[in-house]
Amino acid sequence: MITLRSKAEVEKIEAACRIVADTLEFLETKINPGITTLELDNLAAEYIEGRGAVSAFKGYKGFPAHICTSLNETVVHGIPGKRILKGGDIISIDVGVKLNGYFGDAAATFPVGQQITEEAYALIKVTEKALEKGIEQAKPDNRLSDISNAIQRYVESNGFSVVREFVGHGIGTRMHEDPQIPNFGVPGTGPRLKGGMVLAIEPMVNAGTYGVEILEDGWTAVTKDRKLSAHFERTIYISERGPEILTKWRKKKL
Ligand code: MG
């Protein structure tokens, strides 16, 4: 069942989302060659706590860290550790927090240093734009799969592929609520979208084929062909007028 949220509830979700977006913006300033993913996790933990929220990921089904740090061929759920970032890497950071019983969730992929390959740059841009295309479809009377289809079409027309194994989701008083939101599919199917829905839309886009596999730690999802992957996610609210991004960045467009 998809929960419709009151204005008061959306405000509470938005407060959690504000912290999520600010955490990502803060971490972006720390992403430089030489820093470890564990240092990023520690910085995130401190920042989130300083804002009076708690990480929604730490302890979630046993996840051991506060954020996910997914480098290069890692699609999602990379565990922070000793890995040192180097120039030319790309890193996806996923942040989720809980504040006063409500959740926010967002992710973005960043270049490390000034020089990444042209393909890596294109992958990041296409993934970010695909999310925007999906969000545009999140309006009353559209169907859920209109979001999925818009993302898939944009990604594939740019020569990349969308991951099948992981999907977006409803969010509110739990991090993962109905509905599941695939990033692929035919348009015009699934539940009809309504004002009051709050969704986390999150395309994961691979440079090569869409297959993924999970490493022995039980979390880290990597591309089967070990080519690059990018991930952007925003929590949005469907108002009667259309989509409103709740994890809005202050500096960037999305
Ligand atoms: Mg999510």
Side-chain angles (χ1 to χ4, degrees):
M1 200 191 70
I2 307 175
T3 306
L4 301 182
R5 301 288 172 187
S6 67
K7 194 159 178 287
E9 281 183 299
V10 172
E11 279 169 12
K12 288 181 175 172
I13 296 168
E14 189 165 22
C17 286
R18 182 71 263 150
I19 296 169
V20 169
D22 288 349
T23 305
L24 279 166
E25 282 200 338
F26 166 68
L27 291 174
E28 184 179 16
T29 68
K30 304 295 180 189
I31 293 171
N32 287 305
I35 196 167
T36 67
T37 50
L38 184 62
E39 285 169 328
L40 289 173
D41 189 70
N42 289 337
L43 287 166
E46 210 175 292
Y47 185 87
I48 292 166
E49 194 191 332
R51 295 285 297 266
V54 293
S55 162
F57 297 170
K58 174 92 177 167
Y60 179 82
K61 295 184 180 171
F63 189 76
H66 302 83
I67 58 172
C68 300
T69 52
S70 304
L71 271 158
N72 299 331
E73 73 281 0
T74 303
V75 179
V76 285
H77 304 160
I79 301 172
K82 289 180 184 148
R83 181 82 174 262
I84 299 167
L85 303 196
K86 54 184 198 322
D89 286 338
I90 62 171
I91 183 168
S92 304
I93 297 196
D94 198 340
V95 176
V97 310
K98 184 181 184 185
L99 179 73
N100 299 324
Y102 289 83
F103 288 83
D105 193 4
T109 303
F110 305 95
V112 180
Q114 302 300 315
Q115 306 238 300
I116 58 170
T117 64
E118 242 168 71
E119 186 189 49
Y121 184 77
L123 181 70
I124 289 174
K125 285 294 150 194
V126 166
T127 309
E128 188 172 20
K129 188 79 180 167
L131 172 58
E132 206 179 309
K133 296 278 181 190
I135 290 172
E136 278 169 16
Q137 297 302 316
K139 53 190 178 190
D141 295 329
N142 263 5
R143 299 282 195 144
L144 187 72
S145 77
D146 294 333
I147 299 172
S148 316
N149 182 257
I151 291 170
Q152 181 179 22
R153 268 189 303 130
Y154 185 77
V155 169
E156 291 180 354
S157 70
N158 281 280
F160 298 130
S161 63
V162 289
V163 169
R164 269 57 168 173
E165 277 87 346
F166 303 101
V167 297
H169 49 93
I171 182 167
T173 46
R174 286 175 295 134
M175 185 162 62
H176 295 128
E177 300 184 357
D178 286 342
Q180 293 200 349
I181 312 169
N183 297 298
F184 61 97
V186 295
T189 65
R192 202 170 283 284
L193 301 178
K194 288 187 185 143
M197 290 180 179
V198 180
L199 308 173
I201 304 174
E202 50 176 322
M204 287 140 268
V205 176
N206 292 354
T209 53
Y210 62 74
V212 305
E213 62 188 48
I214 310 292
L215 298 185
E216 275 176 13
D217 60 26
W219 282 104
T220 311
V222 299
T223 55
K224 257 198 180 122
D225 58 15
R226 300 300 191 269
K227 290 187 177 171
L228 296 176
S229 187
H231 178 209
F232 278 82
E233 175 180 29
R234 298 284 181 254
T235 297
I236 64 122
Y237 158 65
I238 303 180
S239 80
E240 294 304 330
R241 295 180 305 281
E244 285 176 27
I245 295 168
L246 300 178
T247 50
K248 218 176 182 103
W249 291 26
R250 297 185 202 271
K251 280 178 266 169
K252 283 201 170 180
K253 196 170 50 161
L254 272 181

